[in-house]
Amino acid sequence: MSESSNRPPLSIPPGKWSFTRWNTIGQLEALEVHHPLFRATLFVQGAHLAHFAPREHTDWLWLSSEARYEPGRAIRGGIPICWPWFGDPARNPPEVRKRINTGAAHGFARTALWKLEDVRENAHEVEISLSQDANEDFSEVWTGRALALITFVFSVKGCQIALTTTNLGTSPLAFSQALHTYLPTPDIERTRLLGLGQSHYIDTLENWEYRTQEGPVYFHGETDRIYETGESLTVVTPLGSRKLTSVGSDSTVVWNPGPDKAARLSDFPDSGWKTMLCVETANAASDYRVLNEGQSHTLGVFIGRK
């Protein structure tokens, strides 16, 4: 999946980073990357990537103008991490659902504090790794023991994200997850998604019925679908194209709230649905994963130029 250079980054201790620095945004701590070739902003809460742009490019991610940076509050936009379950707990398979002790959607990782593991830098790229030890501290909402390690690799060619889950418990661990990527567009009705033609999908807006995609995906109002494929996809907007290449995924979630839901969403402008879409690399619905003791699974995506 990697599109990075062949030259390995060098691990550098805090305080001696050349391109990465700490900053406080609102009430949250973030790592800001100011590299000659690209820029990025990564929050420790949620391991949440809020901004990425190669030099002389606008932001490759969509971030709500009403996003709030507060402890325990999910950031609207960028790439939230949905883990160790995706979506409504009641809509998850029984093996996943039996571990969830709350009605809250999308897991706890997106609002939990992650631990910074490493920063590696060189002239071509910056790599940042964070971890989340899901243990008894989360027992009120989830029953399990797992380690999540996420690594971001930024370069002029794009952004690579790899989320590795390791089962630290003694019994099989079933989980679902998604890299909930928000992408920008100047006009959602002149935007299309390529690569899902002939794929089966669940239309969650139509009683979770199974349907088949014919040709590109177009957006004409609210859209919420779980596609049964993890193929490489291309988002085409009036300003250009982006390619998303996934690994460890056999499901893709495509979402846009449309005008009515946008008006009800928190931290979301009423007209925001016109300038964004979500294409989520996932293990969702029947694509949930099960790990035996000590086993690991990596879900990843590379967002690059077309």
Side-chain angles (χ1 to χ4, degrees):
M1 181 177 69
S2 176
E3 295 281 343
S4 59
S5 68
N6 293 324
R7 189 176 305 173
L10 298 175
S11 184
I12 302 171
K16 296 185 179 180
W17 299 329
S18 297
F19 311 116
T20 307
R21 69 190 186 203
W22 287 104
N23 191 20
T24 301
I25 300 175
Q27 301 176 44
L28 301 181
E29 294 299 307
L31 291 162
E32 290 194 329
V33 178
H34 293 264
H35 193 281
L37 300 178
F38 50 85
R39 299 284 189 271
T41 301
L42 177 62
F43 286 89
V44 176
Q45 177 175 286
H48 191 127
L49 182 63
H51 168 75
F52 171 75
R55 182 180 59 192
E56 298 178 357
H57 281 239
T58 57
D59 200 338
W60 282 21
L61 303 175
W62 182 88
L63 185 66
S64 172
S65 59
E66 298 182 6
R68 295 163 64 179
Y69 309 100
E70 301 172 357
R73 189 182 191 94
I75 298 169
R76 179 71 71 181
I79 306 182
I81 308 302
C82 302
W83 184 93
W85 69 89
F86 170 79
D88 182 350
R91 287 292 186 176
N92 273 264
E95 294 92 332
V96 177
R97 190 167 63 241
K98 71 181 183 180
R99 291 185 174 273
I100 305 172
N101 307 318
T102 175
H106 294 321
F108 52 81
R110 63 187 182 141
T111 56
L113 288 177
W114 290 58
K115 176 185 176 183
L116 177 64
E117 293 289 349
D118 201 7
V119 175
R120 296 170 179 259
E121 302 180 330
N122 65 28
H124 304 280
E125 65 186 33
V126 172
E127 176 182 310
I128 301 177
S129 298
L130 303 100
S131 66
Q132 179 62 240
D133 184 356
N135 53 36
E136 59 275 3
D137 292 345
F138 298 95
S139 60
E140 290 187 2
V141 295
W142 185 71
T143 303
R145 179 72 194 278
L147 178 69
L149 176 68
I150 191 165
T151 300
F152 299 84
V153 181
F154 307 114
S155 73
V156 70
K157 296 180 180 179
C159 170
Q160 176 180 303
I161 306 168
L163 175 61
T164 298
T165 300
T166 302
N167 181 10
L168 301 181
T170 57
S171 60
L173 176 70
F175 65 103
S176 57
Q177 59 183 341
L179 304 173
H180 198 304
T181 305
Y182 286 77
L183 299 168
T185 176
D187 185 352
I188 189 62
E189 294 187 343
R190 292 193 293 148
T191 297
R192 63 189 186 276
L193 178 61
L194 309 179
L196 292 172
Q198 303 307 309
S199 298
H200 300 298
Y201 68 89
I202 299 170
D203 192 333
T204 70
L205 303 178
E206 297 292 339
N207 296 316
W208 288 67
E209 292 181 0
Y210 275 87
R211 299 188 174 183
T212 301
Q213 180 65 39
E214 301 293 341
V217 178
Y218 292 93
F219 299 86
H220 303 292
E222 185 176 359
T223 305
D224 193 352
R225 302 171 181 173
I226 304 173
Y227 285 84
E228 295 183 336
T229 181
E231 297 295 325
S232 294
L233 306 174
T234 301
V235 177
V236 182
T237 79
L239 293 182
S241 303
R242 293 281 176 266
K243 186 175 182 180
L244 284 74
T245 304
S246 64
V247 297
S249 168
D250 291 313
S251 54
T252 300
V253 180
V254 179
W255 180 74
N256 179 282
D260 294 337
K261 188 167 185 178
R264 302 193 302 268
L265 287 174
S266 62
D267 308 338
F268 196 101
D270 289 354
S271 62
W273 68 277
K274 298 178 180 180
T275 59
M276 56 70 65
L277 67 154
C278 283
V279 181
E280 307 171 40
T281 303
N283 295 130
S286 62
D287 184 37
Y288 74 98
R289 299 302 165 105
V290 180
L291 299 175
N292 291 322
E293 180 181 1
Q295 286 187 326
S296 298
H297 170 71
T298 297
L299 174 72
V301 64
F302 182 81
I303 306 170
R305 308 171 191 266
K306 174 59 179 174

